[in-house]
Amino acid sequence: MGQHNLDRIIRPQRLAVIGASEKSGTIGNVLMKNLIDAGFPGLVLPVNPKYQEILGCRTYKSVSDLDVGVDLAIIATPIQTVPEIIQECISRKVGGAIVISAGGKEAGVSGNEIEHKIRRVIAHTGFRIIGPNCLGIIQPSGRLNATFISGMPPQGNMALVSQSGAICSSILDLAFKEQIGFSNFISIGSMLDVDFGDMIDYLGNDNSVKSILLYIENLTNFRKFMSAARSVSRVKPIIVLKAGRSKAGAKAAASHTGAMVGEDAVYDAAFKRAGIVRVDTIEELFDCAELMAKQPRPHGPRLGIITNGGGPGVMAADYLASLGHEPAVLDAEIVSKLDAVLPPYWSRNNPIDILGDASAERFRQVLDICLDERTFDGVLVILAPQAMTEPMTVAKALVAAMHGHQYPIFASWMGGKSVDQAVEFLNESAIPTFDTPERAVRAFLYMVSFARNQELLLEAPPKVSRDMVFDNTTAKHIFASSTAKGFLPESKVWQLLAAYGLPVVQTVVATSEEQASQVSSDIGYPVVLKLFSPDITHKTDAGGVHLDLRSDLDVRKAYQLTMSSARQYRPEARIEGVTIQPYLANPDFEILLGAKRDPDFGPVILFGMGGIFTEILQDKALGLPPMNRLLAQRLIQETRAYKLLQGFRNHPPADFEKLEEIIICLSQLLIDFPQISELDMNPIMIKNGKPTVADARLLVSPIDVISPLHLVISPYPGEKIFRMTTESGLHLVIRPVKPEDAPLFTNLFEVLSPTSIYYRFFGALRMLQPAMLSRFTQIDYDREIAYVALDEDSETELMLGVARIIGDPDGTTGEIAVLVGDPWQGKGIGASLMRQCLLVAQQRGFAHIHGIVMKENTQMLALAKKLGFAISTGKNGSEYEIEINFNSPDMIEGLTAF
């Protein structure tokens, strides 16, 4: 109901304006005028007891007087009246409302109470609300201007969703000036109900929307936002301007990790994980909006720069280099072609300086050559006003040359009045224009970032080469036997890390000088002696770390010095002794791996340079669990430490697979134990490639949610794995699909007959493309159910079949599909997979499941009937529709008994 009623808000046929007015200058009057002036083709029903007619429209005294089934109510009355009005709307079966009224939570306690009252009114009704405190929405294709902003932007394929009305107004002005088309303009306001996650889901399923712009001040349902964004960003770009970069994070951090994980850095990590491109300024948002609206996406960063002025070309190249890229290299063939049309003293390089006396014809010849080559992923044309160059003529040459090319072409016509007419012509001709070369380059590279995001989203993660075993029982006992808040005793931290497969250095606690002496002798010199105190976090600051102790005398002196220094540093601290470890001399590298629980995004993993320079160098990268090897690789590669870890001089490279594994181990620990507030492993010493955790501290604090609800990304449901034997004697492992399963899918596809492929994909298919493999394996476990059947008796992993239910964003309905390899059909595998998917869907609260089956697929039809599906003729005469209703007692009984 949620998404359906959202469609009734954005594409209404009948709408009511509650608070409509004849009084000029009032919001109620402007709303009515804008609806009429825009040419809205549906019914406009003003509601106000003071009038009988407003702007020629019959007026209703109250919502109760309206006919049942109005799609949208636009409410522009005082906020105190809104709860009662919405209750009336629900009674009259109105689909949803846009609440223009201000005075909600932004007004303080009283406004908060009103919003809570509204939430109680709409709870469990399916009624949706955009706002309050919003401008409303504009939908150009439907001639709908349900805002108090005059004017209608050109129709296009880009949607804007903004919390700020001022941003909406500014972009609307830009749209008029630059001739930028939009599919939707949505002012979302304070998000009492409909939030960014809802809008991303809705716009992601709208075929008329090709890209989405978001202006975000804050998020509400973080997990829903991440789920929607990860789903939609695979198929269309999402560009975000998130306000508030300057907010301080981790003010009371207890560890290096805590100090380095600030609020805005976590947003960066979350956006990156979701495939979102983040811009920094309103100017950049405008520039991205224009480039996305008018041009195709680039496939890479190879930029060609054509200029009639050497200086602007150098400016563009310099700015490109400052952002980590170089202009595309010209090969001999293209240089030869350019030699034929350019003066002998042209730059013979990229930027292609065609000189200040360049005519429109010279521009056109160079453009034709460049656009016919595959050397570039985009072309920037820069025109500087010159006596020999007429801006409008060159603009017309550019427009004439661009037709039929599949990569972005954009322009920087530099200057003032002399280029205004040409710039307007370019805008009208769908050529993005930028005041400076730098702005043009920056907008292009943001689009390159989106292309790179999509590429990474489609990449299949490699498998780990060893089984990763986690001792959850021991870990639970450690947490249960410790206090609910504060630092976990150091000895227990070492036990915990070891239980989760992290390579820890041997560590023994000594509570006296004599014991320290004996332990050091047992371990073998040289050793490290460290202060053991639950109250002193940074041992070095307290004089509590002594390295490379080579004798009993060294150990005794270090023990005495540690005790006196610690007591002097913090007299009230509990001093419980020291820890003794073997000394890892001259490590090749020192890194930091840690985690912090963010109040909004849950646990965040930090990787970076370790040791004493951690906070000085601030070399870090952040990631969100769950992690796999591919995500761990990216985390490492984002740091400057990555180049060092590849080895140099006499330092061998780190074992990257081992580093990836310990990141995955840490991820699983954070998934299983929400009470971990901060975890710091610093340093992790790398010697001869192998990492060892040399020091660690862990802070615990209470949390009111259980695993995995503390995460913003649903983890792999490992508890859903089970084994069974089919009636035909096959021993199966039935488990949820994993991202690492891509090779198994490819192998399964290779044993399918053309008939099986046709039944599953409704057409011929020669191979599974990367995008399809990614779609099948890298799923969101919150909104999709997918199980694979593996042959337990096979020496190597062998996938026999797969079934999935793709749920709608509301989680109420889903579409089912099943596929079994030809050698194993008719052996009960498809039935086992479908039954498991249906049982999980029932547990999650799905209302009904449907699917489409070809008429010739008699096996599937028989199975559907056996499982309780109703079968009917589809819209296309060559197929059947199958549907199952979870509210049917017969269905539940049949499914459970099967």
Side-chain angles (χ1 to χ4, degrees), residues 704-737:
D704 58 1
V705 296
I706 61 172
S707 176
L709 299 180
H710 65 303
L711 304 169
V712 292
I713 299 173
S714 181
Y716 182 74
E719 74 281 1
K720 301 292 185 181
I721 301 173
F722 66 95
R723 288 168 169 78
M724 65 167 294
T725 302
T726 67
E727 293 179 2
S728 62
L730 282 174
H731 299 105
L732 302 180
V733 175
I734 306 289
R735 64 161 173 80
V737 70

mmCIF file of all heavy atoms in Angstrom, residues 704-737:
data_model
loop_
_atom_site.group_PDB
_atom_site.id
_atom_site.type_symbol
_atom_site.label_atom_id
_atom_site.label_comp_id
_atom_site.label_asym_id
_atom_site.label_seq_id
_atom_site.Cartn_x
_atom_site.Cartn_y
_atom_site.Cartn_z
ATOM 1 N N ASP A 704 20.160 -1.148 22.697
ATOM 2 C CA ASP A 704 18.801 -1.675 22.889
ATOM 3 C C ASP A 704 18.277 -2.454 21.690
ATOM 4 O O ASP A 704 17.077 -2.709 21.599
ATOM 5 C CB ASP A 704 17.827 -0.542 23.250
ATOM 6 C CG ASP A 704 17.789 0.551 22.182
ATOM 7 O OD1 ASP A 704 18.509 0.411 21.170
ATOM 8 O OD2 ASP A 704 17.049 1.534 22.369
ATOM 9 N N VAL A 705 19.153 -2.836 20.743
ATOM 10 C CA VAL A 705 18.724 -3.673 19.626
ATOM 11 C C VAL A 705 19.583 -4.918 19.580
ATOM 12 O O VAL A 705 20.715 -4.928 20.050
ATOM 13 C CB VAL A 705 18.819 -2.924 18.273
ATOM 14 C CG1 VAL A 705 17.875 -1.761 18.233
ATOM 15 C CG2 VAL A 705 20.244 -2.481 17.985
ATOM 16 N N ILE A 706 19.037 -5.968 19.009
ATOM 17 C CA ILE A 706 19.762 -7.218 18.905
ATOM 18 C C ILE A 706 20.330 -7.373 17.490
ATOM 19 O O ILE A 706 19.874 -6.725 16.549
ATOM 20 C CB ILE A 706 18.861 -8.428 19.233
ATOM 21 C CG1 ILE A 706 17.681 -8.510 18.244
ATOM 22 C CG2 ILE A 706 18.361 -8.353 20.665
ATOM 23 C CD1 ILE A 706 16.857 -9.788 18.390
ATOM 24 N N SER A 707 21.320 -8.227 17.365
ATOM 25 C CA SER A 707 21.893 -8.521 16.056
ATOM 26 C C SER A 707 20.860 -9.250 15.193
ATOM 27 O O SER A 707 20.128 -10.109 15.692
ATOM 28 C CB SER A 707 23.135 -9.394 16.227
ATOM 29 O OG SER A 707 23.670 -9.778 14.985
ATOM 30 N N PRO A 708 20.772 -8.934 13.905
ATOM 31 C CA PRO A 708 21.575 -7.995 13.121
ATOM 32 C C PRO A 708 20.904 -6.646 12.919
ATOM 33 O O PRO A 708 21.248 -5.927 11.981
ATOM 34 C CB PRO A 708 21.720 -8.737 11.795
ATOM 35 C CG PRO A 708 20.386 -9.396 11.615
ATOM 36 C CD PRO A 708 19.935 -9.787 12.999
ATOM 37 N N LEU A 709 19.938 -6.296 13.772
ATOM 38 C CA LEU A 709 19.179 -5.068 13.552
ATOM 39 C C LEU A 709 19.994 -3.813 13.821
ATOM 40 O O LEU A 709 19.547 -2.707 13.503
ATOM 41 C CB LEU A 709 17.920 -5.082 14.427
ATOM 42 C CG LEU A 709 16.944 -6.236 14.160
ATOM 43 C CD1 LEU A 709 15.744 -6.137 15.082
ATOM 44 C CD2 LEU A 709 16.502 -6.243 12.697
ATOM 45 N N HIS A 710 21.193 -3.971 14.404
ATOM 46 C CA HIS A 710 22.040 -2.806 14.652
ATOM 47 C C HIS A 710 22.823 -2.393 13.403
ATOM 48 O O HIS A 710 23.512 -1.369 13.420
ATOM 49 C CB HIS A 710 23.014 -3.104 15.792
ATOM 50 C CG HIS A 710 24.022 -4.178 15.488
ATOM 51 N ND1 HIS A 710 23.648 -5.449 15.114
ATOM 52 C CD2 HIS A 710 25.383 -4.172 15.482
ATOM 53 C CE1 HIS A 710 24.743 -6.185 14.910
ATOM 54 N NE2 HIS A 710 25.793 -5.432 15.118
ATOM 55 N N LEU A 711 22.731 -3.175 12.332
ATOM 56 C CA LEU A 711 23.459 -2.899 11.095
ATOM 57 C C LEU A 711 22.557 -2.162 10.107
ATOM 58 O O LEU A 711 21.341 -2.352 10.109
ATOM 59 C CB LEU A 711 23.932 -4.201 10.452
ATOM 60 C CG LEU A 711 24.806 -5.119 11.309
ATOM 61 C CD1 LEU A 711 24.951 -6.471 10.634
ATOM 62 C CD2 LEU A 711 26.163 -4.498 11.555
ATOM 63 N N VAL A 712 23.157 -1.349 9.232
ATOM 64 C CA VAL A 712 22.357 -0.697 8.189
ATOM 65 C C VAL A 712 22.334 -1.518 6.899
ATOM 66 O O VAL A 712 21.579 -1.206 5.989
ATOM 67 C CB VAL A 712 22.861 0.734 7.876
ATOM 68 C CG1 VAL A 712 22.617 1.664 9.040
ATOM 69 C CG2 VAL A 712 24.317 0.732 7.460
ATOM 70 N N ILE A 713 23.164 -2.544 6.835
ATOM 71 C CA ILE A 713 23.157 -3.450 5.696
ATOM 72 C C ILE A 713 22.940 -4.857 6.226
ATOM 73 O O ILE A 713 23.689 -5.322 7.089
ATOM 74 C CB ILE A 713 24.474 -3.374 4.896
ATOM 75 C CG1 ILE A 713 24.692 -1.962 4.350
ATOM 76 C CG2 ILE A 713 24.474 -4.387 3.749
ATOM 77 C CD1 ILE A 713 26.039 -1.753 3.702
ATOM 78 N N SER A 714 21.922 -5.506 5.731
ATOM 79 C CA SER A 714 21.588 -6.833 6.238
ATOM 80 C C SER A 714 22.711 -7.810 5.936
ATOM 81 O O SER A 714 23.152 -7.923 4.786
ATOM 82 C CB SER A 714 20.286 -7.313 5.591
ATOM 83 O OG SER A 714 19.921 -8.573 6.078
ATOM 84 N N PRO A 715 23.200 -8.555 6.941
ATOM 85 C CA PRO A 715 24.297 -9.496 6.714
ATOM 86 C C PRO A 715 23.796 -10.829 6.159
ATOM 87 O O PRO A 715 22.585 -11.085 6.106
ATOM 88 C CB PRO A 715 24.880 -9.683 8.111
ATOM 89 C CG PRO A 715 23.697 -9.546 9.013
ATOM 90 C CD PRO A 715 22.807 -8.507 8.358
ATOM 91 N N TYR A 716 24.741 -11.661 5.802
ATOM 92 C CA TYR A 716 24.397 -12.979 5.284
ATOM 93 C C TYR A 716 23.683 -13.786 6.368
ATOM 94 O O TYR A 716 24.185 -13.923 7.484
ATOM 95 C CB TYR A 716 25.665 -13.715 4.853
ATOM 96 C CG TYR A 716 25.397 -15.080 4.251
ATOM 97 C CD1 TYR A 716 24.881 -15.196 2.971
ATOM 98 C CD2 TYR A 716 25.640 -16.246 4.972
ATOM 99 C CE1 TYR A 716 24.625 -16.437 2.411
ATOM 100 C CE2 TYR A 716 25.388 -17.491 4.423
ATOM 101 C CZ TYR A 716 24.877 -17.575 3.138
ATOM 102 O OH TYR A 716 24.616 -18.808 2.598
ATOM 103 N N PRO A 717 22.496 -14.329 6.075
ATOM 104 C CA PRO A 717 21.738 -15.078 7.091
ATOM 105 C C PRO A 717 22.262 -16.508 7.237
ATOM 106 O O PRO A 717 21.635 -17.476 6.807
ATOM 107 C CB PRO A 717 20.302 -15.034 6.541
ATOM 108 C CG PRO A 717 20.480 -14.929 5.059
ATOM 109 C CD PRO A 717 21.741 -14.162 4.822
ATOM 110 N N GLY A 718 23.429 -16.628 7.854
ATOM 111 C CA GLY A 718 24.076 -17.929 7.968
ATOM 112 C C GLY A 718 23.285 -18.949 8.757
ATOM 113 O O GLY A 718 23.468 -20.160 8.591
ATOM 114 N N GLU A 719 22.362 -18.482 9.606
ATOM 115 C CA GLU A 719 21.553 -19.406 10.403
ATOM 116 C C GLU A 719 20.503 -20.125 9.557
ATOM 117 O O GLU A 719 19.849 -21.068 10.030
ATOM 118 C CB GLU A 719 20.878 -18.655 11.551
ATOM 119 C CG GLU A 719 19.715 -17.759 11.164
ATOM 120 C CD GLU A 719 20.134 -16.412 10.572
ATOM 121 O OE1 GLU A 719 21.364 -16.184 10.451
ATOM 122 O OE2 GLU A 719 19.246 -15.606 10.244
ATOM 123 N N LYS A 720 20.344 -19.707 8.296
ATOM 124 C CA LYS A 720 19.315 -20.290 7.433
ATOM 125 C C LYS A 720 19.848 -21.451 6.588
ATOM 126 O O LYS A 720 19.205 -21.874 5.638
ATOM 127 C CB LYS A 720 18.755 -19.213 6.501
ATOM 128 C CG LYS A 720 18.129 -18.019 7.211
ATOM 129 C CD LYS A 720 16.848 -18.392 7.941
ATOM 130 C CE LYS A 720 16.172 -17.156 8.535
ATOM 131 N NZ LYS A 720 14.945 -17.508 9.264
ATOM 132 N N ILE A 721 21.014 -21.974 6.906
ATOM 133 C CA ILE A 721 21.588 -23.080 6.152
ATOM 134 C C ILE A 721 21.083 -24.402 6.740
ATOM 135 O O ILE A 721 21.098 -24.592 7.954
ATOM 136 C CB ILE A 721 23.130 -23.036 6.205
ATOM 137 C CG1 ILE A 721 23.648 -21.716 5.629
ATOM 138 C CG2 ILE A 721 23.737 -24.223 5.456
ATOM 139 C CD1 ILE A 721 25.135 -21.510 5.789
ATOM 140 N N PHE A 722 20.644 -25.311 5.871
ATOM 141 C CA PHE A 722 20.234 -26.622 6.362
ATOM 142 C C PHE A 722 20.529 -27.694 5.325
ATOM 143 O O PHE A 722 20.825 -27.407 4.157
ATOM 144 C CB PHE A 722 18.749 -26.630 6.764
ATOM 145 C CG PHE A 722 17.799 -26.440 5.614
ATOM 146 C CD1 PHE A 722 17.225 -27.530 4.981
ATOM 147 C CD2 PHE A 722 17.473 -25.169 5.167
ATOM 148 C CE1 PHE A 722 16.347 -27.355 3.930
ATOM 149 C CE2 PHE A 722 16.599 -24.986 4.105
ATOM 150 C CZ PHE A 722 16.029 -26.085 3.481
ATOM 151 N N ARG A 723 20.481 -28.940 5.749
ATOM 152 C CA ARG A 723 20.770 -30.079 4.885
ATOM 153 C C ARG A 723 19.537 -30.963 4.773
ATOM 154 O O ARG A 723 18.742 -31.045 5.708
ATOM 155 C CB ARG A 723 21.953 -30.883 5.443
ATOM 156 C CG ARG A 723 23.280 -30.158 5.277
ATOM 157 C CD ARG A 723 24.404 -30.802 6.080
ATOM 158 N NE ARG A 723 25.691 -30.235 5.699
ATOM 159 C CZ ARG A 723 26.134 -29.053 6.122
ATOM 160 N NH1 ARG A 723 25.395 -28.328 6.953
ATOM 161 N NH2 ARG A 723 27.316 -28.601 5.726
ATOM 162 N N MET A 724 19.402 -31.630 3.632
ATOM 163 C CA MET A 724 18.259 -32.509 3.433
ATOM 164 C C MET A 724 18.606 -33.569 2.388
ATOM 165 O O MET A 724 19.580 -33.434 1.632
ATOM 166 C CB MET A 724 17.038 -31.711 2.987
ATOM 167 C CG MET A 724 17.191 -31.059 1.624
ATOM 168 S SD MET A 724 15.621 -30.454 0.978
ATOM 169 C CE MET A 724 14.751 -31.982 0.728
ATOM 170 N N THR A 725 17.812 -34.609 2.368
ATOM 171 C CA THR A 725 17.936 -35.650 1.353
ATOM 172 C C THR A 725 16.630 -35.721 0.591
ATOM 173 O O THR A 725 15.551 -35.832 1.177
ATOM 174 C CB THR A 725 18.235 -37.016 2.002
ATOM 175 O OG1 THR A 725 19.433 -36.920 2.759
ATOM 176 C CG2 THR A 725 18.396 -38.091 0.935
ATOM 177 N N THR A 726 16.709 -35.617 -0.731
ATOM 178 C CA THR A 726 15.495 -35.664 -1.551
ATOM 179 C C THR A 726 14.990 -37.093 -1.647
ATOM 180 O O THR A 726 15.686 -38.051 -1.289
ATOM 181 C CB THR A 726 15.771 -35.132 -2.965
ATOM 182 O OG1 THR A 726 16.660 -36.041 -3.628
ATOM 183 C CG2 THR A 726 16.396 -33.751 -2.914
ATOM 184 N N GLU A 727 13.766 -37.225 -2.142
ATOM 185 C CA GLU A 727 13.183 -38.564 -2.314
ATOM 186 C C GLU A 727 14.013 -39.412 -3.267
ATOM 187 O O GLU A 727 14.020 -40.638 -3.182
ATOM 188 C CB GLU A 727 11.748 -38.435 -2.832
ATOM 189 C CG GLU A 727 10.789 -37.805 -1.822
ATOM 190 C CD GLU A 727 9.382 -37.667 -2.389
ATOM 191 O OE1 GLU A 727 9.176 -38.107 -3.548
ATOM 192 O OE2 GLU A 727 8.507 -37.123 -1.685
ATOM 193 N N SER A 728 14.754 -38.750 -4.152
ATOM 194 C CA SER A 728 15.586 -39.493 -5.106
ATOM 195 C C SER A 728 16.957 -39.837 -4.534
ATOM 196 O O SER A 728 17.775 -40.437 -5.221
ATOM 197 C CB SER A 728 15.759 -38.672 -6.380
ATOM 198 O OG SER A 728 16.428 -37.453 -6.101
ATOM 199 N N GLY A 729 17.210 -39.426 -3.279
ATOM 200 C CA GLY A 729 18.466 -39.802 -2.622
ATOM 201 C C GLY A 729 19.578 -38.776 -2.744
ATOM 202 O O GLY A 729 20.708 -39.036 -2.290
ATOM 203 N N LEU A 730 19.311 -37.602 -3.295
ATOM 204 C CA LEU A 730 20.346 -36.566 -3.381
ATOM 205 C C LEU A 730 20.541 -35.904 -2.017
ATOM 206 O O LEU A 730 19.562 -35.538 -1.352
ATOM 207 C CB LEU A 730 19.948 -35.504 -4.406
ATOM 208 C CG LEU A 730 20.136 -35.835 -5.887
ATOM 209 C CD1 LEU A 730 19.551 -34.724 -6.750
ATOM 210 C CD2 LEU A 730 21.610 -36.007 -6.214
ATOM 211 N N HIS A 731 21.794 -35.752 -1.598
ATOM 212 C CA HIS A 731 22.104 -35.054 -0.351
ATOM 213 C C HIS A 731 22.393 -33.590 -0.692
ATOM 214 O O HIS A 731 23.365 -33.283 -1.397
ATOM 215 C CB HIS A 731 23.301 -35.690 0.344
ATOM 216 C CG HIS A 731 23.074 -37.121 0.715
ATOM 217 N ND1 HIS A 731 23.629 -38.177 0.030
ATOM 218 C CD2 HIS A 731 22.314 -37.679 1.707
ATOM 219 C CE1 HIS A 731 23.262 -39.317 0.574
ATOM 220 N NE2 HIS A 731 22.444 -39.045 1.598
ATOM 221 N N LEU A 732 21.553 -32.706 -0.189
ATOM 222 C CA LEU A 732 21.630 -31.293 -0.555
ATOM 223 C C LEU A 732 21.998 -30.425 0.628
ATOM 224 O O LEU A 732 21.613 -30.701 1.769
ATOM 225 C CB LEU A 732 20.283 -30.813 -1.108
ATOM 226 C CG LEU A 732 19.706 -31.531 -2.328
ATOM 227 C CD1 LEU A 732 18.370 -30.893 -2.692
ATOM 228 C CD2 LEU A 732 20.671 -31.484 -3.498
ATOM 229 N N VAL A 733 22.737 -29.374 0.335
ATOM 230 C CA VAL A 733 22.882 -28.236 1.246
ATOM 231 C C VAL A 733 22.043 -27.107 0.660
ATOM 232 O O VAL A 733 22.278 -26.680 -0.475
ATOM 233 C CB VAL A 733 24.352 -27.784 1.385
ATOM 234 C CG1 VAL A 733 24.434 -26.533 2.248
ATOM 235 C CG2 VAL A 733 25.204 -28.893 1.973
ATOM 236 N N ILE A 734 21.052 -26.670 1.399
ATOM 237 C CA ILE A 734 20.197 -25.555 0.968
ATOM 238 C C ILE A 734 20.606 -24.338 1.789
ATOM 239 O O ILE A 734 20.521 -24.350 3.019
ATOM 240 C CB ILE A 734 18.706 -25.856 1.199
ATOM 241 C CG1 ILE A 734 18.302 -27.180 0.553
ATOM 242 C CG2 ILE A 734 17.846 -24.706 0.687
ATOM 243 C CD1 ILE A 734 18.254 -27.164 -0.943
ATOM 244 N N ARG A 735 21.077 -23.298 1.111
ATOM 245 C CA ARG A 735 21.527 -22.102 1.831
ATOM 246 C C ARG A 735 21.215 -20.850 1.028
ATOM 247 O O ARG A 735 21.014 -20.899 -0.197
ATOM 248 C CB ARG A 735 23.031 -22.184 2.106
ATOM 249 C CG ARG A 735 23.909 -22.200 0.859
ATOM 250 C CD ARG A 735 25.332 -21.830 1.205
ATOM 251 N NE ARG A 735 26.267 -21.977 0.099
ATOM 252 C CZ ARG A 735 26.418 -21.106 -0.890
ATOM 253 N NH1 ARG A 735 25.643 -20.030 -0.953
ATOM 254 N NH2 ARG A 735 27.328 -21.313 -1.828
ATOM 255 N N PRO A 736 21.196 -19.681 1.705
ATOM 256 C CA PRO A 736 21.013 -18.428 0.965
ATOM 257 C C PRO A 736 22.180 -18.192 0.006
ATOM 258 O O PRO A 736 23.299 -18.635 0.236
ATOM 259 C CB PRO A 736 20.991 -17.363 2.075
ATOM 260 C CG PRO A 736 20.620 -18.108 3.315
ATOM 261 C CD PRO A 736 21.220 -19.468 3.160
ATOM 262 N N VAL A 737 21.900 -17.482 -1.076
ATOM 263 C CA VAL A 737 22.928 -17.181 -2.067
ATOM 264 C C VAL A 737 23.969 -16.233 -1.459
ATOM 265 O O VAL A 737 23.667 -15.436 -0.568
ATOM 266 C CB VAL A 737 22.293 -16.567 -3.326
ATOM 267 C CG1 VAL A 737 21.766 -15.157 -3.052
ATOM 268 C CG2 VAL A 737 23.267 -16.560 -4.487
#
